[in-house]
Amino acid sequence: MDLIPAPSSAVRRPDEDFPLDATTTLTAPPGLADAERWLRGTLSAATGLPLGPGRPGTGIELVLDGTLAAEAYRITVRPGHALLAAGGPAGALWAAQTLRQLLGPDAYRRSPLRREGWVLPGADVADAPRFGWRGALLDVARHFLPKSDVLRFVDLLAAHKLNVLHLHLTDDQGWRVEIKRYPRLTGRGAWRERSMVGYRSGQRRDDRPHGGYYTQDDLREIVAYAAARGVAVVPEIDLPGHTQAAVAAYPELGNTDVVDTAALGVWTDWGVSHHVLNASEETLRFFEGVLEEVLELFPSEFIHLGGDECPKEQWKDSAAAQARIRELGLANEDELQSHLIRHFDRWLAERGRRLIGWDEILEGGLAPGVAVSSWRGFGGGVAAAEAGHDVVMCPEQHVYLDHRQADGPDEPVPVGFVRTLEDVYRFEPVPAQLDAAAARHVIGTQANLWSEFADSARDVDYRAFPRLVAFAEVAWSELPAEPAERDYPDFERRLRGHLEVLDALGVEYRPMDGPHPWQRRPGVAGRPIGGPPPVR
């Protein structure tokens, strides 16, 4: 029973196995309908067994247990009966995922490879997650992923008990969410003429146009599909920087007194464009309109507004921006950015939502309800937690999965730090310098996958897996806080078996002994692997 992520406790009872056959039933109360529906559909497809409804105390039975926390569960497998007790709907979904693991890799197939011989091993499993936010960021702004690939990624998150999909929907290089009142955001802003290959501006270009976007119905489908699997979708709408695609679509959003924004296109470079939003009341109203539609699509408590890497040069040169600074009684351009973030914090709070942003939003101070994604190392997260703000730890030095997994000339496009599978497994989200009160504000952790160099689901698979499996155990399991004390050899042993699950799911992960042949290529432009970490 080499489960991943490792449960709180698991005891194998070899004399208590439960063989499954055509008479095996599946029962659940109405409050666990999502888990019942998912488990029946998944296991029936893989096993060929009907798993029809049955009586309490027999077959596979899901029940609610008010003594357990919402995401906690217990599994008891005995001959003729597998009891899955959960504290709430989420816990039932995680229990169902564990039950599928107990049946082995063939249970991850979409069609049965065999019709008999299915056996649930006798066992007692008790489990609960360490963190409430166990996330992965998928950047669909730099390279668009079709809806079917996003749904598949949701399935992979849920299979590893990750419960937040942070969907990065807008950036300088593309706008991916349909906003009905502003159709040019996707009509113009969703498409760029070409893309960089590599991370330096002098390198060659792929001259194919690139783009795409999700209709509002696509996003409703993604959100509902994810919710039925225990995954919340948190949208990111970047502002006031990382907005060239929006300015290209609606030039009046830019700093028109210092640049001819009417001639601006969607950016074709990686990195950070110096084109940013102006700070006028009209721009605030525009993005309120955007967010009204975003809130209707995404019921998540948190709405991510970016707030990172905002160049201030245009504001310094803009007479309109300087007049705005004086009008608002602000000291400088940094406070102008804070004004914009504070405005949308109030706007979201009035609608029962919470703003979350990258750690640059700390500059200038935050309202009490704002949460912080700490990406520039741990410093921003430590400062935020000590100031009483909730924090999601996602430092680029540890959990940026677009960064290369090994050094060497046969790795794919070189970017960022080398972060191995073992490095990810030894990542500790809660900094040791936080006292107990501040540590409670670390509500979770997240791995981020930026897509400058991931232009397909194959590339996403290669960069994410198997490192995302290691991250899932960090986010879920109660591992030793001291990274050196973690039993990486045991994890690696369990992972080697788990690779059969990834194979059954069709994941094109990086083999543990090196790149796939289709991924091997020399260093960009003949240079050795290396270079500075990318900017978003």
Side-chain angles (χ1 to χ4, degrees), residues 460-477:
V460 169
D461 278 4
Y462 179 86
R463 285 162 172 76
F465 292 95
R467 290 184 296 181
L468 195 61
V469 181
F471 174 80
E473 185 148 306
V474 169
W476 177 277
S477 305

Side-chain angles (χ1 to χ4, degrees), residues 450-527:
W450 303 98
S451 68
E452 289 92 338
F453 312 111
D455 63 359
S456 69
R458 298 186 81 188
D459 277 317
V460 169
D461 278 4
Y462 179 86
R463 285 162 172 76
F465 292 95
R467 290 184 296 181
L468 195 61
V469 181
F471 174 80
E473 185 148 306
V474 169
W476 177 277
S477 305
E478 289 288 348
L479 301 177
E482 176 51 54
E485 295 177 4
R486 294 182 183 173
D487 191 349
Y488 177 73
D490 177 71
F491 170 75
E492 188 178 58
R493 178 189 62 79
R494 287 182 287 120
L495 176 63
R496 289 189 182 278
H498 188 73
L499 294 182
E500 294 184 38
V501 168
L502 299 185
D503 290 333
L505 288 167
V507 178
E508 294 195 86
Y509 55 86
R510 181 187 186 275
M512 295 179 71
D513 59 356
H516 275 298
W518 66 271
Q519 274 283 4
R520 292 186 181 127
R521 48 189 152 182
V524 174
R527 291 179 292 100

Side-chain angles (χ1 to χ4, degrees), residues 158-339:
H160 295 91
K161 299 185 175 73
L162 296 170
N163 68 342
V164 176
L165 171 60
H166 177 166
L167 205 54
H168 184 75
L169 288 164
T170 72
D171 216 296
D172 297 311
Q173 297 87 0
W175 184 283
R176 309 294 179 214
V177 51
E178 178 188 29
I179 302 298
K180 291 185 181 295
R181 73 188 71 184
Y182 303 127
R184 294 206 306 271
L185 286 172
T186 47
R188 174 73 181 90
W191 306 91
R192 63 175 181 266
E193 294 178 352
R194 58 183 183 170
S195 304
M196 286 176 59
V197 176
Y199 56 81
R200 297 187 188 279
S201 60
Q203 288 172 348
R204 69 181 178 88
R205 305 278 175 152
D206 178 346
D207 286 327
R208 295 176 301 169
H210 179 83
Y213 67 92
Y214 307 106
T215 68
Q216 293 198 355
D217 282 345
D218 289 337
L219 291 167
R220 290 186 183 98
E221 180 183 355
I222 289 169
V223 167
Y225 187 90
R229 287 151 180 80
V231 178
V233 183
V234 174
E236 180 176 353
I237 307 295
D238 253 318
L239 60 85
H242 287 287
T243 51
Q244 182 168 329
V247 175
Y250 289 90
E252 64 271 22
L253 298 174
N255 295 280
T256 56
D257 58 343
V258 295
V259 64
D260 179 13
T261 55
L264 198 62
V266 176
W267 208 31
T268 60
D269 282 2
W270 306 137
V272 183
S273 168
H274 64 277
H275 292 285
V276 301
L277 299 177
N278 66 51
S280 69
E281 287 296 320
E282 291 77 14
T283 294
L284 296 181
R285 299 293 87 75
F286 183 99
F287 275 88
E288 288 172 1
V290 168
L291 290 172
E292 283 178 4
E293 297 191 27
V294 167
L295 295 192
E296 193 275 326
L297 298 171
F298 297 92
S300 55
E301 175 187 5
F302 290 97
I303 303 294
H304 206 294
L305 293 187
D308 61 315
E309 298 177 327
C310 179
K312 309 297 196 304
E313 289 80 6
Q314 288 188 354
W315 287 349
K316 291 176 181 177
D317 295 338
S318 166
Q322 294 302 312
R324 186 75 164 142
I325 287 171
R326 291 191 296 274
E327 173 192 349
L328 296 169
L330 305 176
N332 51 36
E333 294 78 20
D334 289 338
E335 289 194 6
L336 184 58
Q337 178 174 347
S338 293
H339 164 74

